[in-house]
Amino acid sequence: MKRMLALLATCATALGLTTLAAPQAVAATGCKVDYTVTSQWSGGFQAGVKITNLGDPVSGWTLKFTLPDSGQKLTQGWNATWSQSGSTVSATNVDWNRTLSTGGTTDLGFTGTFTGSNPKPGAFTLNGVACTGEIGGEQPPDPDPGNSTPVGINGQLHVCGVNLCNQYNRPIQLRGMSTHGIQWFSKCYNNASLDALAKDWKSDLLRIAMYVQEQGYETDPAGFTSRVNSYVDMAEARGMYALIDFHTLTPGDPNYNIDRAKTFFASVAARNAAKKNVIYEIANEPNGVSWSAIKNYAEQVIPVIRAADPDAVIIVGTRGWSSLGVSDGSNETEIVNNPVNATNIMYAFHFYAASHKDNYRATVSRAASKLPLFVTEFGTVTATGGGTLDRTSTTAWLDLLDQLKISYANWTYSDANESSAALKPGTCNGSDYSSSGVLTESGALLKSRISTPDSFPTS
Ligand code: IDC
């Protein structure tokens, strides 16, 4: 027996079979850290730390690094649980950034004090692996970039039941960002910023907020139409959906702008009809106006779009600043009982996490089984677009939207001097949109949510 086993082993070796033995499952490892001092003052500094996981997905992590100058001390950190022992600083994930996919990133930051020259920390490790910016284990397969974008995978979208569905008729959720008013922030929408949005943020969607008033469309219809079209093309080139937002706000009755809406949508729908990446949002936030007046507007504007672009999804704003009526003391039943007479449409819901909480979430939970909903705009802050970020409420909202597969766009991918903006003031004057140093607290939170894998169904 012993001899036979020995013989078998010899034969196996001779046949080269040992190399076919089941390979040990070696976890792919590797990480990259971008460290930026975002501001420095006498004796103190603030730094951004962007982690990129180059290894297998992890569902819990600790980043460690060494402060080289004995005078450097951690004061306070965010987006992780921070501590310092001797010269070693540790940052452990919090719940919402616990998982890091392969290629996934998360942005942390901290403030500290220093006495010497404030040198850059070193010896960064993630779960004990040195962050050299290289992959230590096996390389993940390189997916075909052309077909691996959101539009490449999902193709022409349509509404199926209460869901947004892809070309395989399977429900999907799109997660992305809204521009600020393009009349004010055009400097923020360029090749570098949209590359960052598509590649670093892995955003599925760019909402193009074209205000009608406030120095917007009404002042230069041809100019704004062509600007919107060029943003549609820039999103398409990067495989992102483009949500064309006719950003009515004041006055709140969309019928005030109905002739402009018909002219604008006839033009953009004809020009973009053959594209798969376009979604139309016909009225941002109706307010001070009845549902029946909004419905009347929708039933006049939708046929104009359909005549030129029959298969695109169209989103209708709702009463009370697109709150499904809640901010006007009503609720979704007025829509359920009297829906817009059209197919392939969805209804907009907007919220600002610090202002709109449990009763609004309860409305969305209820309405989601009856109406196709799309959160075309939301903020992490108060409804003014400023104030403190409400992380608890934002997380509750985004968890709910993920669970219900409701698509969303965050206000705003801009460097506006307000807490809802994702980029720090001045970012759009430069060319860096990728490092963690350019993100606000809201931007870091949203990027960490949006950049997780989509897992779109492909059959
Ligand atoms: C805000 C902008 C702010 C601008 C103001 C007026 O953040 O810079 O001065 O509009 O145009 C909305 C609107 C959106 C608002 C945003 C924040 O759709 O236009 O942007 N908000 O107030 N609805 C609820 C909040």
Side-chain angles (χ1 to χ4, degrees):
M1 187 67 182
K2 230 183 189 170
R3 251 206 358 233
M4 235 167 86
L5 280 179
L7 191 68
L8 276 174
T10 315
C11 289
T13 312
L15 291 169
L17 291 181
T18 45
T19 54
L20 291 182
Q24 294 287 314
V26 178
T29 55
C31 44
K32 179 168 166 264
V33 168
D34 296 300
Y35 176 88
T36 328
V37 173
T38 50
S39 54
Q40 188 168 309
W41 54 94
S42 170
F45 68 105
Q46 176 173 329
V49 181
K50 173 175 159 183
I51 305 173
T52 306
N53 176 29
L54 300 173
D56 282 342
V58 295
S59 58
W61 48 263
T62 297
L63 176 82
K64 291 194 179 186
F65 55 86
T66 307
L67 296 173
D69 177 341
S70 60
Q72 283 173 319
K73 287 210 167 44
L74 168 77
T75 319
Q76 195 197 353
W78 50 92
N79 295 352
T81 306
W82 292 79
S83 63
Q84 180 172 354
S85 162
S87 60
T88 305
V89 174
S90 302
T92 298
N93 67 272
V94 285
D95 195 49
W96 55 266
N97 60 14
R98 182 165 30 91
T99 56
L100 275 182
S101 59
T102 305
T105 63
T106 192
D107 290 283
L108 321 177
F110 69 97
T111 52
T113 55
F114 69 100
T115 51
S117 57
N118 199 26
K120 184 183 163 182
F124 287 93
T125 60
L126 188 69
N127 290 349
V129 173
C131 294
T132 57
E134 281 166 15
I135 298 164
E138 261 173 82
Q139 297 253 7
D142 189 17
D144 175 357
N147 292 325
S148 65
T149 64
V151 178
I153 297 169
N154 295 299
Q156 177 62 53
L157 305 176
H158 64 281
V159 179
C160 56
V162 293
N163 292 111
L164 182 63
C165 280
N166 69 8
Q167 60 179 332
Y168 306 107
N169 208 26
R170 300 277 299 273
I172 61 161
Q173 179 198 31
L174 300 179
R175 298 171 298 160
M177 295 297 291
S178 176
T179 68
H180 202 293
I182 59 172
Q183 78 274 40
W184 297 311
F185 287 89
S186 61
K187 64 175 182 170
C188 289
Y189 312 111
N190 51 57
N191 285 328
S193 70
L194 294 187
D195 279 349
L197 190 62
K199 291 184 188 147
D200 302 336
W201 286 64
K202 302 191 173 60
S203 183
D204 304 324
L205 152 92
L206 175 73
R207 178 189 194 230
I208 303 162
M210 187 196 70
Y211 277 71
V212 185
Q213 277 71 47
E214 301 187 60
Q215 303 306 305
Y217 177 83
E218 66 177 1
T219 64
D220 179 12
F224 279 96
T225 303
S226 90
R227 207 184 294 181
V228 167
N229 287 332
S230 73
Y231 295 152
V232 167
D233 294 350
M234 289 165 82
E236 184 189 38
R238 292 163 177 81
M240 289 190 286
Y241 288 91
L243 181 50
I244 300 180
D245 162 31
F246 193 67
H247 202 87
T248 59
L249 186 58
T250 310
D253 182 351
N255 291 291
Y256 175 83
N257 286 306
I258 197 161
D259 292 337
R260 293 183 192 92
K262 288 179 179 173
T263 304
F264 172 73
F265 282 110
S267 173
V268 290
R271 193 258 186 192
N272 298 305
K275 295 185 191 290
K276 293 180 179 164
N277 74 318
V278 177
I279 302 171
Y280 302 98
E281 181 181 5
I282 61 175
N284 167 49
E285 290 189 350
N287 58 86
V289 64
S290 67
W291 169 243
S292 61
I294 302 166
K295 175 176 144 86
N296 174 61
Y297 167 87
E299 289 174 356
Q300 291 188 60
V301 175
I302 292 169
V304 171
I305 300 175
R306 290 276 184 258
D309 186 350
D311 62 355
V313 172
I314 299 174
I315 304 170
V316 180
T318 59
R319 192 174 150 198
W321 294 273
S322 286
S323 67
L324 290 169
V326 182
S327 292
D328 260 356
S330 182
N331 61 40
E332 80 283 6
T333 53
E334 64 185 5
I335 307 173
V336 174
N337 295 335
N338 188 21
V340 171
N341 184 15
T343 55
N344 213 21
I345 63 159
M346 305 185 86
Y347 296 92
F349 182 82
H350 291 180
F351 66 86
Y352 278 73
S355 304
H356 309 123
K357 299 188 182 179
D358 289 342
N359 58 325
Y360 288 84
R361 283 191 279 270
T363 304
V364 167
S365 302
R366 244 184 3 246
S369 62
K370 303 194 184 90
L371 298 170
L373 300 179
F374 197 127
V375 172
T376 54
E377 181 185 310
F378 79 94
T380 56
V381 298
T382 70
T384 62
T388 345
L389 178 146
D390 191 328
R391 188 178 291 281
T392 307
S393 175
T394 300
T395 302
W397 270 114
L398 295 181
D399 289 349
L400 178 68
L401 300 184
D402 289 353
Q403 184 201 325
L404 295 170
K405 277 204 192 313
I406 296 179
S407 300
Y408 63 75
N410 173 251
W411 187 263
T412 55
Y413 191 61
S414 82
D415 69 350
N417 192 9
E418 52 192 16
S419 51
S420 52
L423 305 171
K424 288 190 181 154
T427 300
C428 302
N429 300 332
S431 56
D432 173 16
Y433 292 88
S434 289
S435 70
S436 58
V438 303
L439 297 175
T440 63
E441 194 184 356
S442 187
L445 172 57
L446 258 298
K447 187 177 175 189
S448 75
R449 294 289 304 214
I450 290 176
S451 60
T452 60
D454 286 299
S455 310
F456 293 124
T458 53
S459 60

